[in-house]
């Protein structure tokens, strides 16, 4: 298995992603999309789909920097979660309280990238999912990096492939 599948305990990483947004840019963003729990009900519980992914950035020297040991967050692709992911990408501080509640309903998932930047998320219901990773690499203080995200369609009984980069 290319990635390391982890449990809900890693959802504390939402706080890390939000903190990264503040450190990188420091702007505050008020969500304009409404969180609608009904949009997420089809994604609740285990499914038989999976995402096999990889995430990486290129540093200023054009070297590839994988998302090694970084948290990957997977959420259903809705207008609300798209805005949330885009706000992280832009470096805005965003209230993630609704997103973190998804784990309590068995909807949001997480994993940690292996040393090569690969990850696996299993037991997903079919549908469109968003993956978000904060790729951070130390080059001094503060650390440098970016949030990257993408969408993928998961089909029943299949593993969808996803590469996240810029």
């Amino acid at each position: 298995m290319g990635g390391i599948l982890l449990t809900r305990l890693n959802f504390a990483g939402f706080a890390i992603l939000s903190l990264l947004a503040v450190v990188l840019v420091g702007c505050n963003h008020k969500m304009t999309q409404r969180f609608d729990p009904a949009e997420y009900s089809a994604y609740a519980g285990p499914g038989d789909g999976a995402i096999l992914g990889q995430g990486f950035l290129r540093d200023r020297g054009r070297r590839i920097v994988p998302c090694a040991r970084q948290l990957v967050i997977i959420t259903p692709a809705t207008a609300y979660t798209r805005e949330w992911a885009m706000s992280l990408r832009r470096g805005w501080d965003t209230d993630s309280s609704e997103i973190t509640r998804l784990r309590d309903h068995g909807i949001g998932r997480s994993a940690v990238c292996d040393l090569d930047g690969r990850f696996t998320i299993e037991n997903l219901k079919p549908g469109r999912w968003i993956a978000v990773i904060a790729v951070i690499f130390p080059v001094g203080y503060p650390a440098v990096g970016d949030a990257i995200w993408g969408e993928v369609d998961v089909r029943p009984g299949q593993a969808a492939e996803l590469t996240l980069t810029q």
Side-chain angles (χ1 to χ4, degrees), residues 93-104:
D93 179 21
T94 302
D95 177 14
S96 298
S97 61
E98 298 293 350
I99 298 290
T100 57
R101 274 195 248 165
L102 292 176
R103 76 160 186 261
D104 299 332

Side-chain angles (χ1 to χ4, degrees), residues 14-111:
F14 279 122
I16 294 168
L17 284 173
S18 294
L19 180 59
L20 171 69
V22 173
V23 168
L24 290 177
V25 175
C27 299
N28 192 8
H29 173 69
K30 180 156 176 56
M31 297 287 286
T32 59
Q33 298 293 326
R34 269 184 18 114
F35 180 83
D36 182 1
E39 289 185 282
Y40 298 88
S41 60
Y43 294 89
D48 61 355
I51 297 173
L52 303 177
Q54 184 174 20
F56 61 90
L57 292 175
R58 290 193 182 270
D59 68 11
R60 290 190 177 130
R62 305 301 296 157
R63 293 179 303 250
I64 293 175
V65 180
C67 64
R69 297 187 180 120
Q70 303 294 323
L71 186 70
V72 182
I73 306 295
I74 305 291
T75 64
T78 66
Y80 184 87
T81 54
R82 279 185 190 95
E83 182 180 351
W84 173 77
M86 184 57 74
S87 69
L88 290 175
R89 170 68 185 90
R90 292 180 176 157
W92 297 338
D93 179 21
T94 302
D95 177 14
S96 298
S97 61
E98 298 293 350
I99 298 290
T100 57
R101 274 195 248 165
L102 292 176
R103 76 160 186 261
D104 299 332
H105 299 287
I107 299 169
R109 310 290 168 80
S110 65

